[in-house]
Amino acid sequence: GVVRQLRQISEDDTGVDVAFRADVHAGLSQTPKAIPARWFYDTTGSALFEDITALPEYYPTRSETDLLTRHAADIAATIGPGRAVVELGSGSSTKTPLLLAAIDPAAYVPVDISGDFLRDSAEALAARFPRLPVYPVEADFTQKVALPREICALPKLGFFPGSTIGNMVARTAVDLLRNWRAALGDGSLMLIGIDRIKDIAVLERAYDDPAGVTAAFNLNLIERINRELGGDMALDNFTHRAVWNDTHARIEMHLVAMCDMDFTVDGQAYHMAKGETIHSENSHKYGPRDANLLLRAGGWTPIATWDDADPAFALILAEA
Ligand code: AVI
């Protein structure tokens, strides 16, 4: 069952995450404007992301689930039983049961920045695996996370699905991999989902679906700024853009200003010119050698790859 939820977020006396406030002001003050993608994931944003994962155009979830399902026995044989599974950015933990059912773990530690979401999904998972101890940790997994002391002596498996590593630029991704290498310790393993470079039309459709769910997900960032930071940004003056950047091998999402505008956040004045954007997300894609290089740079040695999904996606197992 769920043991207890640890909370490692610092908020101010109005209940707003201090890092969110700081990132928004820094991001709106710089040229070009950019806000880190992790601030998408308030309760509304996390729910919208779940809707994205069900879209026919958004292949990563389908491809990864397909790999986990078809290769479960092979993955389990390579990992072995008795590990504490630490999931980075667990969200609704929909893919997790496939892994947990296959590998017979000793404990499960979902780490997520969205506390309410984490609580619900940890409870659902504990109900499904009644004998598995579940230790949810509400934290930003890109920062230093203190793991529950109960799992200290167990061998660890980091589980980082969904290609979330792709949302970081290379140097941040390498820092994260190194930090988790240190936190999980010698003898640990990491099972990581990596999205492959593919046909640009397939990529762009996955990030700009006709139903407008990804647009709503992107625009929720504006609403969150208005809601939590007392902003007065006019939602209708922004539009969603998703575009492939071939130099950086990534999909970029932007919030585009449709007209010249002035607005305030926390009483601080900002201006945007028509056509100017707030860069709200990167989603990097990796070829097989790129992915292995990234892992090695982060202190992990790739030992197995499952990547026969269509559209292409990879699950890579690496050892510390
Ligand atoms: C969470 N992350 C891996 C998603 C991605 O594909 O980069 C977030 C996302 N953004 C738009 N659609 C999905």
Side-chain angles (χ1 to χ4, degrees):
V2 176
V3 178
R4 69 182 180 282
Q5 183 154 314
L6 296 174
R7 188 153 202 273
Q8 298 169 28
I9 304 271
S10 50
E11 15 180 81
D12 61 17
D13 44 19
T14 62
V16 173
D17 188 317
V18 292
F20 177 50
R21 192 185 297 280
D23 278 356
V24 168
H25 286 294
L28 292 177
S29 305
Q30 73 188 41
T31 314
K33 297 187 192 315
I35 296 174
R38 66 171 168 287
W39 302 118
F40 281 142
Y41 302 94
D42 63 353
T43 306
T44 309
S46 296
L48 283 167
F49 178 66
E50 288 314 309
D51 296 343
I52 288 175
T53 64
L55 292 170
E57 296 80 13
Y58 191 75
Y59 63 85
T61 310
R62 237 183 317 121
S63 288
E64 190 176 46
T65 304
D66 177 56
L67 288 172
L68 273 170
T69 307
R70 281 189 300 115
H71 298 292
D74 193 18
I75 292 170
T78 317
I79 293 171
R83 290 184 179 262
V85 177
V86 179
E87 181 168 358
L88 315 184
S90 49
S92 70
S93 299
T94 40
K95 287 165 250 178
T96 320
L98 293 169
L99 179 71
L100 298 183
I103 67 170
D104 190 20
Y108 174 55
V109 183
V111 180
D112 202 274
I113 198 168
S114 180
D116 296 336
F117 216 73
L118 178 66
R119 190 166 296 109
D120 292 350
S121 55
E123 267 158 25
L125 206 118
R128 185 135 170 211
F129 297 92
R131 286 191 310 279
L132 182 71
V134 178
Y135 305 95
V137 179
E138 182 183 351
D140 176 356
F141 64 78
T142 65
Q143 307 297 309
K144 196 167 167 43
V145 175
L147 293 175
R149 59 179 175 276
E150 290 89 341
I151 67 156
C152 154
L154 295 170
K156 318 283 191 301
L157 170 71
F159 182 41
F160 196 17
S163 199
T164 304
I165 189 92
N167 295 134
M168 282 151 248
V169 297
R171 74 168 73 182
T172 313
V174 167
D175 285 348
L176 175 129
L177 289 168
R178 290 200 163 269
N179 289 339
W180 280 99
R181 162 71 185 79
L184 298 175
D186 290 343
S188 59
L189 295 172
M190 175 73 88
L191 183 64
I192 186 166
I194 303 262
D195 195 11
R196 295 292 199 214
I197 298 169
K198 58 179 62 62
D199 185 70
I200 295 171
V202 173
L203 284 166
E204 289 188 340
R205 232 182 355 259
Y207 291 82
D208 194 3
D209 62 282
V213 182
T214 311
F217 174 71
N218 198 7
L219 287 159
N220 176 57
L221 182 62
I222 305 282
E223 293 180 83
R224 183 177 185 188
I225 292 170
N226 286 345
R227 214 161 38 228
E228 293 187 24
L229 304 178
D232 58 5
M233 302 171 84
L235 191 64
D236 294 346
N237 293 349
F238 287 92
T239 183
H240 165 70
R241 178 187 295 159
V243 63
W244 174 249
N245 179 329
D246 199 57
T247 306
H248 291 278
R250 68 192 185 201
I251 287 281
E252 294 184 2
M253 295 210 314
H254 293 262
L255 290 155
V256 187
M258 308 276 283
C259 52
D260 290 347
M261 65 177 105
D262 293 289
F263 57 85
T264 64
V265 176
D266 276 334
Q268 166 97 35
Y270 294 102
H271 176 79
M272 285 183 78
K274 180 178 180 181
E276 191 182 347
T277 78
I278 302 171
H279 185 175
S280 51
E281 185 179 62
N282 289 315
S283 195
H284 295 84
K285 311 301 171 186
Y286 292 93
R289 293 186 187 86
D290 310 336
N292 286 348
L293 180 63
L294 183 75
L295 282 160
R296 285 182 202 283
W300 295 89
T301 307
I303 55 171
T305 300
W306 295 274
D307 64 353
D308 51 347
D310 180 26
F313 193 93
L315 271 175
I316 303 178
L317 185 67
E319 64 185 5

